[in-house]
Amino acid sequence: MNQKNSSNFFVFFCFIFLVNAISFSQKKIPVYKDKNAAIETRINDLLKLMRLDEKILQMTQWTYGKNDNPNNFEEKVKELNPQIGSLIYRSTSPIYRNQIQKKAMEESRLGIPILFGFDVIHGYRTIFPIPLAQASSWNLDLVKKTSEIAAKEAWLSGVNWTFSPMVDVARDPRWGRVSEGYGEDSYVNSVFGVAAIQGYQGKNLSDKYTIAACLKHYVGYSLSEGGRDYHYTDVSRQTLWETLLPPFEAGVKANVATVMSGFNDISGVPASANHYTLTEILKEKWQHKGFVVSDWGSIKNLTNQRVAKDLKQAGLKAFLAGIDMDMVDDVYKNNLLKLVEEKKITIFQINNAVRRILRIKFRLGLFDKPYVDELSEKERYLQEDAISVAKELAAESMVLLINENDILPLKKEFKNIALIGPMVKDSIHILGSWAGKGKPNDAKTIFEGLTNEIGAKSTLHYAKGCDFDGDDTSGFKKAITIAKKSDVLLVFLGEKSSWSGENGSRSTIALPKIQEDLIFELKKTGKPIVLVLSSGRPLELYRLHNKVDAIIEMWQPGTFGGIAIAEILSGKINPSGKLPITFPQTTGQIPIYYNMRPSAVPKMGHYQDIPIEPLYQFGFGLSYTDYQYSEINISSSKIKKEQTITAEIEVTNTGNLNGKETVL
Ligand code: GLC
């Protein structure tokens, strides 16, 4: 062979070798790892390779890291199994999270990524107003923005899945979790739930900074009897379809990635073992393609609810009803294998559950991009946009309930202003329940906010007056002393954050007696009183509302709520919030909500000892200015099926201050 031929041969040989090497290496990459293959193809390929024990681990979720939620004190941290399907991730470190993920990608047989979840309910480290407050803003775009920011902070901390939004239509404010949803109306919960989902999930789940959302608690949990958390719920078909399901249907239509089943017993069939709701409605009728996760131990709880004689039967009932992933109680891990061996569950059924879980992991891009960026805390949290959105939404969520003689905004002639109450220097309760990884020392207190806002023009006098509860009235004396030398009294009262949220049921929605007594004593000074309330629920103001000159419900407004309330009191911001939930006259008037079905004899049958109407209606909220509404102009007096009509109102600001107005 001459020189030229041998070099051609050599080139040809290298080419063949290269092609083989590439195809050989390509042959080595299984389809499920091929990022160019379709997701469903990758799922089918992976399911074929998985063993039954690996499939069951994918259906299992544990917690990992310190559990710091007081209502959720049970903690299970185990020697990490790299094949675990999901972890509730309680650290904030992306580095630590990536190390765990690396273990899953490299030490498990098939390299299936772990799905890291966390309760990002109203912010991750930057804490926004509680969801009930967010609904008071009636600002869907801002709520969506809030969820986008929360998703980014969570993603940068290693979290790919939030157990939010909660869309339980709530009409009994004794139930502490009324704070976590969007109030008493089905439509309001639907539109805010969708806004939150869109904010969390973005345009594409595999994009950076987007996280999977989770609609909860499916379904009817808010009807817990007497407002007692975790209790029986009597749910008629009418109420189920007319009131409770629409927000979940809206969320499924908005492509929510996951749904969480509730703790509650739905008229004898618990939500976590309810084939009708979980499979016939959610998966078959609505075609939900994501997966269902149980609530914390809600499968094990089926034995408490006496629908399962033991954990094995609980696992069987939950699985056959449609629960795909088991949150922290290990019922699936300890029983599904046996149930398959006993032919009570088929591999086909197991595959369907695992398929849904893998689908979300693929959609999140976790197989191809399993790791998150490793930025510093300073780069991850409390960025410019987070701070400005948190302040803006806090201000827009606050509701002006009374403003006698326009005592607000604070007048220039108020040279001496008293700041009284347990909320004035608080930085804990202002964050609300489920405050994620929010830190009290990030929070601006009301005292700091007012000092910045009006401290230069007025002298501020502070007295705590009393604690949130108890019977120590020794602080009243100093409060009365500073009141007497002040022109106006700003009194900040309310609830501790643990009084609402999970396991936050209360037999009365009135403030503790000591707080009411403080108002009665201050009233005796004859000074005008502005009462500002921080709470996670509507409050009973029956004895207070005619003792004060103004009331603002500021809810639990989050990290920057102290600045927002100061800017509202000073008039820099004109309050625009409106109630998404009714304020009853008294606890005894519960349930009372705007669209109650009509009574047979409307003028009779009401409580004889209190007024018929609630104290503040759904949708109520004042402004510092006045608005004039024109007559409603409707595009047509008839409407056919599938047709729409437009109702128009012209709104005129007839006052002398700019403002925002939501036309309900
Ligand atoms: C809790 C709550 C649920 C939360 C879950 C994980 O018990 O009911 O809303 O998302 O457990 O913490």
Side-chain angles (χ1 to χ4, degrees):
M1 182 185 296
N2 63 30
Q3 181 62 29
K4 190 166 176 308
N5 285 350
S6 59
S7 59
N8 284 348
F9 174 74
F10 178 69
V11 166
F12 177 67
F13 170 75
C14 291
F15 174 70
I16 294 298
F17 175 77
L18 199 61
V19 166
N20 276 310
I22 290 168
S23 64
F24 176 71
S25 68
Q26 258 165 357
K27 226 180 279 137
K28 233 172 49 183
I29 300 176
V31 169
Y32 79 92
K33 287 193 172 179
D34 175 0
K35 60 184 70 172
N36 300 318
I39 285 182
E40 297 306 311
T41 311
R42 299 175 77 177
I43 294 171
N44 291 332
D45 179 60
L46 182 50
L47 281 172
K48 281 206 294 282
L49 299 171
M50 291 172 77
R51 294 191 313 254
L52 178 55
D53 62 306
E54 293 167 328
K55 292 175 181 175
I56 293 170
L57 279 171
Q58 281 302 307
M59 300 163 70
T60 300
Q61 178 184 65
W62 286 342
T63 64
Y64 212 84
K66 192 182 168 318
N67 172 7
D68 49 8
N69 181 302
N71 286 333
N72 214 342
F73 56 80
E74 186 190 346
E75 170 176 305
K76 276 191 181 173
V77 178
K78 299 184 180 84
E79 170 50 35
L80 179 78
N81 179 329
Q83 293 174 308
I84 194 75
S86 172
L87 289 172
I88 298 181
Y89 184 60
R90 291 205 166 97
S91 164
T92 59
S93 159
I95 297 167
Y96 183 41
R97 177 263 192 211
N98 283 344
Q99 285 167 1
I100 295 174
Q101 190 70 301
K102 193 164 183 296
K103 193 172 176 177
M105 298 307 286
E106 296 174 2
E107 290 179 27
S108 71
R109 189 172 72 89
L110 294 165
I112 301 174
I114 293 170
L115 179 56
F116 292 84
F118 186 65
D119 289 286
V120 189
I121 308 301
H122 49 104
Y124 183 79
R125 168 70 180 269
T126 304
I127 302 303
F128 301 98
I130 54 172
L132 188 61
Q134 295 187 21
S136 307
S137 73
W138 301 85
N139 189 333
L140 294 171
D141 293 340
L142 205 50
V143 165
K144 181 179 168 188
K145 183 77 194 143
T146 299
S147 303
E148 277 167 16
I149 293 167
K152 183 173 182 182
E153 289 192 350
W155 189 91
L156 286 170
S157 309
V159 171
N160 303 100
W161 178 27
T162 176
F163 308 126
S164 169
M166 183 186 113
V167 292
D168 301 320
V169 177
R171 293 164 166 177
D172 186 336
R174 290 171 296 181
W175 187 54
R177 307 199 75 167
V178 68
S179 60
E180 297 174 53
Y182 301 106
E184 71 188 38
D185 179 67
S186 194
Y187 178 70
V188 174
N189 274 279
S190 301
V191 292
F192 277 100
V194 167
I197 291 164
Q198 290 169 342
Y200 290 133
Q201 300 191 166
K203 288 193 178 43
N204 189 321
L205 263 187
S206 63
D207 291 345
K208 279 176 90 168
Y209 313 138
T210 60
I211 59 178
C214 181
L215 270 183
K216 69 185 188 181
H217 303 80
Y218 189 65
V219 63
Y221 179 28
S222 53
L223 298 192
S224 297
E225 211 161 17
R228 295 177 185 84
D229 207 353
Y230 315 114
H231 274 62
Y232 174 75
T233 54
D234 198 13
V235 182
S236 70
R237 281 291 157 102
Q238 179 83 13
T239 299
L240 178 70
W241 284 98
E242 194 173 78
T243 305
L244 301 170
L245 285 175
F248 288 92
E249 183 177 16
V252 169
K253 284 201 174 116
N255 256 327
V256 70
T258 66
V259 174
M260 182 187 292
S261 66
F263 288 118
N264 58 305
D265 174 347
I266 307 176
S267 300
V269 184
S272 296
N274 199 306
H275 186 268
Y276 176 60
T277 53
L278 290 167
T279 293
E280 290 174 53
I281 298 175
L282 179 66
K283 295 181 178 178
E284 291 172 358
K285 182 174 174 62
W286 293 345
Q287 287 294 308
H288 174 55
K289 295 297 178 205
F291 68 87
V292 177
V293 62
S294 61
D295 198 341
W296 187 286
S298 64
I299 296 177
K300 178 185 70 177
N301 294 347
L302 296 176
T303 54
N304 302 333
Q305 290 165 312
R306 299 194 203 132
V307 292
K309 64 180 188 316
D310 55 29
L311 292 179
K312 188 170 143 194
Q313 192 181 45
L316 178 61
K317 289 201 166 193
F319 179 78
L320 294 181
I323 303 270
D324 304 302
M325 183 182 279
D326 173 12
M327 183 183 281
V328 308
D329 59 22
D330 275 358
V331 173
Y332 279 10
K333 179 174 169 295
N334 298 336
N335 294 282
L336 285 194
L337 200 61
K338 254 192 300 318
L339 288 164
V340 172
E341 284 161 359
E342 293 166 5
K343 303 205 182 321
K344 294 200 176 113
I345 291 177
T346 66
I347 289 290
F348 176 75
Q349 289 170 314
I350 293 279
N351 284 350
N352 282 341
V354 179
R355 177 186 308 283
R356 289 172 177 273
I357 295 165
L358 294 177
R359 181 174 293 137
I360 298 306
K361 291 188 175 183
F362 277 113
R363 282 188 185 170
L364 280 164
L366 289 178
F367 280 85
D368 309 322
K369 294 172 280 181
Y371 307 109
V372 295
D373 300 355
E374 298 180 355
L375 304 184
S376 70
E377 274 217 10
K378 202 168 166 324
E379 293 168 300
R380 302 203 294 268
Y381 307 134
L382 299 159
Q383 302 299 297
E384 277 297 295
D385 62 337
I387 295 173
S388 65
V389 167
K391 256 192 298 188
E392 187 182 354
L393 185 56
E396 289 201 13
S397 68
M398 296 180 181
V399 186
L400 179 62
L401 298 173
I402 300 179
N403 192 17
E404 293 299 324
N405 316 315
D406 292 338
I407 179 100
L408 291 176
L410 293 170
K411 309 282 171 281
K412 281 193 296 302
E413 53 273 20
F414 291 152
K415 290 300 169 207
N416 284 285
I417 298 178
L419 308 184
I420 299 168
M423 276 305 296
V424 176
K425 293 193 173 182
D426 164 78
S427 56
I428 297 169
H429 308 299
I430 200 166
L431 299 182
S433 64
W434 290 110
K437 292 298 174 185
K439 290 184 184 305
N441 52 21
D442 292 339
K444 297 294 170 235
T445 64
I446 294 168
F447 186 78
E448 288 169 298
L450 284 167
T451 303
N452 295 341
E453 186 62 24
I454 58 174
K457 293 170 286 197
S458 308
T459 306
L460 306 181
H461 307 276
Y462 166 68
K464 187 176 179 183
C466 68
D467 205 342
F468 288 92
D469 53 4
D471 50 14
D472 176 5
T473 58
S474 60
F476 283 21
K477 189 160 177 292
K478 185 185 173 201
I480 291 162
T481 306
I482 66 161
K484 286 179 175 167
K485 61 182 176 182
S486 300
D487 306 311
V488 65
L489 314 183
L490 306 184
V491 187
F492 300 86
L493 302 176
E495 292 188 311
K496 289 184 174 178
S497 49
S498 59
W499 294 359
S500 60
E502 184 176 354
N503 193 17
S505 307
R506 291 176 76 79
S507 68
T508 172
I509 60 171
L511 290 171
K513 185 175 178 310
I514 192 157
Q515 294 192 38
E516 293 200 356
D517 289 348
L518 177 62
I519 290 286
F520 301 147
E521 288 309 308
L522 291 172
K523 178 68 185 166
K524 293 174 187 166
T525 66
K527 302 286 183 175
I529 298 175
V530 173
L531 175 59
V532 180
L533 296 163
S534 176
S535 63
R537 54 161 55 85
L539 296 172
E540 176 179 303
L541 302 175
Y542 188 59
R543 289 169 298 284
L544 298 180
H545 79 285
N546 51 14
K547 296 281 186 304
V548 299
D549 302 81
I551 296 182
I552 295 177
E553 172 60 63
M554 70 178 233
W555 306 112
Q556 287 154 341
T559 310
F560 299 99
I563 296 177
I565 187 62
E567 294 185 356
I568 285 208
L569 290 167
S570 74
K572 184 185 273 183
I573 295 175
N574 185 353
S576 55
K578 295 192 171 187
L579 296 177
I581 191 166
T582 301
F583 272 54
Q585 299 278 353
T586 66
T587 305
Q589 199 177 38
I590 294 168
I592 184 163
Y593 49 93
Y594 87 99
N595 61 342
M596 291 174 85
R597 292 188 180 84
S599 148
V601 188
K603 295 237 179 308
M604 297 167 71
H606 300 279
Y607 299 113
Q608 296 176 355
D609 55 331
I610 58 172
I612 294 176
E613 296 307 319
L615 189 59
Y616 304 113
Q617 299 268 14
F618 170 86
F620 181 77
L622 301 175
S623 168
Y624 292 153
T625 188
D626 297 305
Y627 297 102
Q628 189 116 50
Y629 283 15
S630 72
E631 285 304 309
I632 296 184
N633 175 16
I634 291 184
S635 58
S636 155
S637 59
K638 290 193 179 59
I639 178 165
K640 293 197 191 68
K641 197 169 160 48
E642 305 304 324
Q643 205 184 17
T644 59
I645 57 172
T646 306
E648 271 178 347
I649 279 187
E650 201 168 272
V651 182
T652 311
N653 179 344
T654 54
N656 47 23
L657 273 172
N658 291 336
K660 282 188 177 184
E661 174 71 354
T662 302
V663 178
L664 294 179

